[in-house]
Structure formats: C-alpha cells, structure tokens
Amino acid sequence: MDNDQPVAGAVPSVDGRATALLVARSLTKVYGSTTVLNDVDLTLHEGQVLAVVGENGAGKSTLVKILSGVVPYGEYAGTVEVDGNPAQFSSPYASDTAGVVMVPQELHVVPHLTIAENMFAAHLPGRHGLYDERAAVREARKALETFGLEVDPRAPAAVLTPSERRLIVLAAALHRSARVLILDEPTAALTEAEAGVLLDRLRSFRKAGVGIIYITHRLDELKRVADDVMVLRNGRLVAGYDSVPRQAELVSAMLGETLRSIEAIAHVAPTKPASGDPALRVRNLSVFVNDKQQRPRVLDVSLDVYPGEIVGLYGLVGAGRTELGRALFGAWPGPVTGECHIGGTQGLPKNTNRALKRGLSLLVEDRKSQGVFHGQSVSSNMTVSMLDDLSRMRLLVDKPRERHRVDEFVQKLGVRPPRTRIAIDALSGGNQQKVLLGRCLIDDLKVLILDEPTLGVDVGARRDIYQLVRKIARELEVGVLLISSDVDEVLTEADRILVMYKCRIRGEFSRGASAHDLMSAATGASMP
Amino acid sequence: MTLQESSRKVPQTADDHDAPRAAGRAYSRVVAALLSRSTVLTAAALVLILYFQQVSGGLFLTSTNASLLLRQTAVVAVVAAGMAMLIIMGEIDLSVGSAAFFTGLVVAHFQVQGWGVVPSIGAGVVAGIVLGLVNGLVITRFAVPAFIVTLAGFLLWRGLGLLLAKATPIGPVSNDLIFVTEGRMPIPLVYGLGLAVLAVGARWAIAGRRGAERAGSLVALIVRLTVSVAIAVLVIVIGQTPTGLPNALLWILGVAMVLGGVLGRAKLGRRIFLLGSNAEAAVYAGINAKRTVLIGFLVMGAIYGIAGTMLTARAGVASPDAGNTLELVAIAAAVIGGTSLRGGVGSIRGAILGAFLLATMDNGMSLLGVPTYSQNVVKAIILVLAVALDGYFRRRQLAK
Ligand SMILES: Nc1ncnc2c1ncn2[C@@H]1O[C@H](COP(=O)(O)OP(=O)(O)OP(=O)(O)O)[C@@H](O)[C@H]1O
Ligand SMILES: [Mg+2]
C-alpha cells in the first residue's frame, strides 16, 4: 500500500485498492516561455481506469507524453515512479519495455511497411536477431481479430484509411502485455461499434489488473469505462473525481465556468429543406484500389448535396466514406468511374488543385500525415490552399492581405494561442484541426467535404466548429458533406443522413432518425 | 465556449500593453537574435578572419586578398543558393558540378567561335536550362528520385562534355568575359551598389518598425540603420581602392536577391517550403508538386549556366576539371547555412554565409600554408558541428 505517501491533490487514492502502479509528482513542462503543464500529480493503481479530460490545449497529451517517455527525462520537472521505483524514460521504447505502453493521439504509421511491421514496429518477433515474418503475421492476425478487421497483415499500411490505421495500432497495443496502458483519444475516429469493442477490451484489461489512462473528448464514454476522472485546465489539475460525475459538472470544470449546462452545448439547429440545383451531384461513382485486383472501395454511389445543406455521411471504419471524399476531391490514386457535377461544372476533378479551383475543398481525416506542414507557421499552414487569391501580380504572396485573412480566421475559429507566426506543431491537436478547417475556407467555396471535422476537438470548440460550418453552409450557400463516425454529430448537425456499408450507400435518413436506425444500417443489419 | 470568451482568456495582443512581459519578450528576442544562425555564422566568420589576420601577419585582410576571397566564393555561393532552394523543397542536385562544367564549356566554345560576351553567356544559360529541364522531367514524369537522376547527371554531363571537348581545355576566352567576374567593379556600379544597400537597409529598418513585434523597435531601427549605412560606406570606400571590389560580388548579390525574393515572397517559394515539409499534405492542399519540382530544376538550370560562365571566366578557359566536387561543397555550404536535409527548412542567406565560411577557411588556411588534406579535416569538423547545431536550432524554433 502506498497510501501513506503524501500524494497531494490529484485523484484521491482509494483505500483498499491494489498497489500504486504509477505515481507522478508535480509534473511541470515548459515550452519556451509558456508553462503547458503545471505541477500535476497523478496516481494510478492496478486495475484502475483513470480518465483525463480537458479542453484543447489543456495539457493532456503533454502529460502522457511525459509518462511514456515521448518527452524524455530531463526535459520536464517532477518525478515519475513505476512500482515505487523512479522511472526516467528516455524514449517511448524505454517506457514500453518497462510495461508502460502508449497509443499517441497522432499516430505514426509508415505507409510502405507492412501492416504487421507497423503493428509491432519496435517489438518484431524474431529468432537470433532475424525478423520472423511468419510469426509477426500470425501475431498480427490474432491481434486484428479484436476489431474484426479484415486486412492482410502482409499488405503495406498505405492501403489503410486513417481510422483503420488507428485500429491496427490499438490492436497491437492491446495485444502487448502492458502493465500501464495509455490511450490518447483512441476513439476519436471510431464509430460506436468499434469504440464499444475497445471499451469492452479495456474492461477485461482492468479485471486483469492493468492500469489504464484514458484521454477522451467524448464525455459519454466515461460512464462506460472510467473509475476516476481528472480534469486539466490550462496545464493545471483543476478537479479530481473518484467516480464519474455528471457531464454538466465535468464540462464546467473543464471550461472553468459554472453557468453552462450541457443542454447549451448540445444545441439542435433547424433543418434546411433541399432546393435549387445541387451544389454537388454524384451519379454511379465507383472507386477502385490501384492494384492488380482493382478491389472496389466505393461502388455505384449516387448522391446530391444542395447549396446550404449539410449532408451527413455515416458508416463504420472501412465503409468507403473517406475514399469517396478523396475521389471527389481528385486525390484518389486509383481508377474512379462515374459522373460528378460540382456547382454546375461537370466532370471529376483530375487533381486537388482543379477541385479547389472549382470550389470544392476537403478537410482531411489524417491530420498528421495529410494535413499539417510540420515546422511551418500557423499562417502558411492556413493559407496554402488560397495562395492564388492572396497574391499580387499572380506571382507574389500579398503579405498584408494574408496576415489580415489569417487574423480573421484565427478569431473566427478560436485558435488558441492566437499566434500565427509560431510553428503549427506548437498547437494542440484540436487547435491544429481548426487551422486546417480554416485552410478549407477558400473564396468561392461551393462544396465542403469534412472528413471527421471534430476529431480531437473539445466540447466547447466542437460547438464553435458546428456553428461555423452551419454558418458557412447557410450564409454562403455551400453544400457540406459531413463524413463522421459520431452518431450524435450526424444526428444533430446534418440535415439529411446517408449511411454507407461495404462500399455502398445503404440508407438515407432524415434528421429525426434514431441512433439505432443509423447503427443498424451501418452494420448491414437492416439490409433489404 | 463562445468566441468572445476565448479571446478574453488569451488576450490577443495584450503583450503590447503589458509592460513587464513586453520587456521580457524584448529581452528574449535579443537573446534569440544573438543565437540565431546568421549571427552565429557571421560571428564565426569574423573570428576566423581576425584569427587568420593575426596568424598570417596581416596578409589576410589586404584588399587583394579580400578581392580574391570574394572571387573564390562566388561560384560556390551561387550554386549553394540554388542547392538550398532544392533541398528546402525536399530534392537534391548532385549533377551541378558536372552541369556547370558543361555550360562553362558551351560558353568557352562560343567565345572561341568569336561570339560576344552576352550571346556566349546566353548560350550557356540556355544550355543550363535544358539540362535542368532534362533533370526535372525525368524526376517528375518517371518518378525517379532526384538523388538517382542527378547522380546519373553527375556522370553524364561531365562525360558528355569531355567527349565533346576531347578532354582538353577549351579557350582562351576573351578578356571581356574574364572581366565579367574577375574585373574590378566600375565606380558608377560601386555607387549604385552603395545606394542599393542603403535602400534595402532602410526598408529592412522600417519593416521592423511596422511589424507585429513593436517592442524595442526604436533600438532596432537605429541599429538596423547604422548597420546599413556602415555597409554602404564600406562598399563605397573599398570600391574606390586600387583593387576595388570584384564583379563576382554582383553575381552573388543578384542570385541571392532573386532566389531570396522567390523563397521569401513568391507563391512559388511558399510552395517550395510546404512541399519540402510534407509532400503528402501538399497534394491535399492543392499544390501541384510536379510542377513545383520542375520549376525548381529549371531555376537550377539557369544557375548551371551562370555557374559555368563564372567557372570559365575565372579560369580563362573551360578546363576539364572545372566544377569538380562543386555539388558537395554547395551541399555543405547550404547545410552549414541551416538548410535541413529533411526539407522545409533553410534560407538563401544562410547558404551564402555558409559558402563564405568555407571559402574563408580555404583561403586563410592556404595563406598559412596548411596542406589541402588538413584543410579537409577542418572543414569536415565544421560540417558536422553545423549539422549538430541544426538539431539544436530546430528544437528552439519549435519551442518559440
Ligand atoms: N512542441 C511544442 N512547443 C510549444 N508548445 C507546445 C508544444 N507542444 C504542445 N504545446 C502547447 O502545449 C499546450 C498543451 O498541449 P497538449 O497537446 O498537451 O494539449 P491537449 O490537452 O492534448 O489538447 P487536445 O485536446 O487538443 O489534444 C498547448 O497550448 C500547446 O500549444
Ligand atoms: Mg492531445
């Protein structure tokens, strides 16, 4: 029992519970002149699920980066103990070997390595120092069964969509015998079904005595998985609960305001009837993988999105939604057949540049590898897709106008900190997402495809984004295709909902549909 | 959270009203400026110069040697600038030494044919652009990495050149061509240059005053104005000494201005940085990657032409070993100047400073009679040190 240790504040250590697996004391992390984590304590016991919540930029990822060696020992202040021994991890590999396994918020999957290799990266099975591919593939198959993911572990990871990538990494982490498992927004891009599987697994892990740290913006998950909850705000631990409190209480702790009820956040906007000529009209679109078998990823899809309308596109991971978006944006490397009208002009865009010129933009799903320009300023990350509109003599960047536009967007989108000249890497995940959304708001926007737009965005900012998207749609008469794995999101935000299952559209629902209807269409249960 | 509230929590420009914090920021900016790469490089060059001056017994800082130093640096500086642009974009060019040899041959050939200076140089530049086009087309159309394509070019262009020239020097070229880099800068041009320095300096000073960071701007304004005036005066004074300033300086400045302008102000430059930072994201952001790479190699082609002209003008003939190892020295200069081989990071100014640093060491050590092989050892150490520093600067950049 470590209960007599002076573990201040944090999560109240619970009497009678198993030994403390992981203890952190007064963790502090400073970047430049800003303190992003300030004197945070934490205790994790065996078989305990500790949820960490907080706004974007609150310091959640930073906290677990310290615990897992991503921020190496020496670059932070405070101490970490595992099993009562000081832990000074110099790298994620070191923490991994000590049984502290983390699945980070931003995944790093190497596209041209195989799925199996990606899953076991640093822990490839082998004999006498040689890589044993058969063993790796066998292990990978076993691990993949968890989520029922039907992919060949020998295929290159490039064939996976971002959410599938997340699933394989999660599967690999669950497969490893961890003592402490840290998951940073694991369910962000997953549908209820996959998230459910994950939560089930976590419960069985808990029984086996694994300590789990769980970061999420989906507060409704907490009831299903968490024992204790800690709330971070501006890098400080502002509240600790030894049971899951009401959502309203959590939200007010997160935002630091008391008068905010959960109802105010889950608003419902009026629907808009479809009228006029569609902004986006798609007929019999099929998308194929660019390989010998030419497997389809999208089959015979037809849909219309009218100006000012938000159409939700719901479905399980791997249903083909992302591929559909990419094909419409001219960013699919394989064969695409079918018809497409964008704001009256006919034909599929040949490349992304053409798509943008015709007024169609796409918010990518995989922020890290397809979205963010690492090391470049927030400002140039935001304006890259509208440089032609912000140029002088068609040659030079019109810097004053660029600055003006960026300041305006940063204001509108609520990017924090509102500094436009720092490298985008210094923003938290959710704030990076806002910058990328800003990038999509080109002049003459007609069709906006959002692929998981609120991935990793906190409750408050999420509402900002919804309002903004609605405003863009209604005021600028933009047709929005909202690809989402979040049932609540499509139910509250979309005027009309399409559900994809195995490459095809299997159902169309109006706003009033129930989550159950959508789920059963998305899992093929209600197939004719 | 509403927008007003979010902006209340993190005041947007509150730092300007917040005196102690503004002071703190100004202080940290001074420290940052002191530790910036350009400052470190300039300081290193100054220390080297003083050291060489001391040890050589005053031989180093004579106007003859200074002029020689500038002329020695010129080709490397020009090529390093182009190389920096390509490396920032995530590409590389190993063929530049051979290509410059080839264009130098073209220039010398037409000189021997009796063409004038301008047409000869024009022919060299056109030849260079053609070579750049070939490189660029193979890289973009057939998706072969630049490393491989330009490695082939490294063998091909020199081989082809030697074949055409029958492996003998082509020359001699006219004195007019030699004058283009080796000659003494005419006095009107010296004054023009002095005025240009003043003009650029004034813009630089005013830009600092208008910019977002206004704290301590008066000091910055004065410092910047003083520095520009000092440089302008220096240019004019040295330009009137008997040795004067070499024309080579104009080539360096010209290339630096054009490329620096492209990288800093043009859409193309912005795209070059972004492409180098994340090629996949560039595609999703609507950047035409192939076209950007092709244009990059066309620009590099023009630099082949200019570098070839400078090589030939400096030697007076197109010699078979002209431009040997130029590509490696240029890469070293760019890297020392802060260009990251990972792409997305670097500057023209840094590359040129890097070239100067390398040339200063060359010149100084030769003056001291240090054998070439020992010089190489020293340069190797500097290169590795610079790259080690690179990591340090990158981390600081992120934390800023
Ligand atoms: N490399 C860095 N340099 C400077 N500041 C950074 C760096 N990384 C993170 N920060 C800052 O640290 C703060 C906390 O970031 P962190 O990623 O921990 O937030 P988070 O709680 O995980 O947010 P999110 O929910 O958006 O993922 C943010 O304000 C962010 O801007
Ligand atoms: Mg995070």
Side-chain angles (χ1 to χ4, degrees), chain A residues 56-57 59-62 105-106 184-185 215 217 428-430 456:
Chain A
N56 289 135
K60 305 179 295 293
S61 298
T62 307
Q105 183 177 10
E106 315 283 354
D184 193 350
E185 296 194 34
I215 298 180
H217 284 298
S428 76

Side-chain angles (χ1 to χ4, degrees), chain A residues 55 255 326 329 352-353 364 369-370 372-374 376 380 385 388 394-395 397 399 402 411-412 418 421 464, chain B residues 1 3 5 9-10 12 212-213 264-267 270-271 274 277-278 280-286 344 399:
Chain A
E55 284 183 281
L255 304 184
R326 284 181 63 181
F329 188 53
T352 55
N353 195 19
V364 290
S369 62
Q370 301 168 344
V372 164
F373 292 104
H374 300 278
Q376 308 297 322
S380 45
S385 296
D388 286 334
R394 306 182 55 211
L395 207 66
V397 180
K399 295 215 169 152
E402 180 186 33
Q411 255 290 323
K412 256 201 216 161
R421 285 157 70 166
D464 287 350
Chain B
M1 143 146 346
L3 292 176
E5 275 157 348
K9 265 191 201 154
V10 180
Q12 282 222 290
E213 312 134 31
R265 292 170 195 278
K267 283 192 292 184
R270 181 65 67 78
R271 290 183 174 137
L274 296 177
S277 150
N278 186 345
E280 195 184 354
V283 170
Y284 282 94

Side-chain angles (χ1 to χ4, degrees), chain A residues 122-139:
Chain A
H123 308 269
L124 291 171
R127 268 171 301 178
H128 318 302
L130 292 178
Y131 170 42
D132 184 349
E133 188 182 357
R134 297 241 307 276
V137 169
R138 203 167 49 234
E139 294 285 295

Side-chain angles (χ1 to χ4, degrees), chain B residues 205-391:
Chain B
I206 294 171
R209 200 154 169 74
R210 264 197 315 226
E213 312 134 31
R214 259 161 295 164
S217 63
L218 197 63
V219 182
L221 179 77
I222 293 168
V223 168
R224 288 177 176 187
L225 275 182
T226 322
V227 168
S228 341
V229 171
I231 294 178
V233 168
L234 211 63
V235 164
I236 291 168
V237 168
I238 296 179
Q240 283 170 337
T241 59
T243 351
L245 286 166
N247 282 330
L249 183 60
L250 290 175
W251 289 90
I252 305 179
L253 290 178
V255 170
M257 293 259 285
V258 172
L259 283 190
V262 166
L263 282 188
R265 292 170 195 278
K267 283 192 292 184
L268 175 67
R270 181 65 67 78
R271 290 183 174 137
I272 285 175
F273 273 99
L274 296 177
L275 186 61
S277 150
N278 186 345
E280 195 184 354
V283 170
Y284 282 94
I287 293 177
N288 191 335
K290 286 186 176 170
R291 210 181 75 182
T292 311
V293 170
L294 187 61
I295 295 176
F297 274 94
L298 284 178
V299 173
M300 193 59 173
I303 288 181
Y304 296 160
I306 295 171
T309 305
M310 294 170 81
L311 284 173
T312 300
R314 173 139 180 76
V317 291
S319 69
D321 63 349
N324 260 341
T325 72
L326 185 55
E327 59 286 325
L328 299 183
V329 181
I331 293 173
V335 168
I336 289 175
T339 307
S340 161
L341 285 168
R342 286 182 227 97
V345 179
S347 72
I348 299 297
R349 184 177 55 178
I352 288 175
L353 280 174
F356 263 105
L357 196 70
L358 285 176
T360 307
M361 291 197 311
D362 256 344
N363 178 298
M365 287 192 290
S366 304
L367 210 62
L368 299 183
V370 178
T372 330
Y373 45 86
S374 313
Q375 292 188 17
N376 284 342
V377 171
V378 176
K379 280 191 272 183
I381 293 172
I382 297 279
L383 180 62
V384 172
L385 261 181
V387 178
L389 267 181
D390 187 46

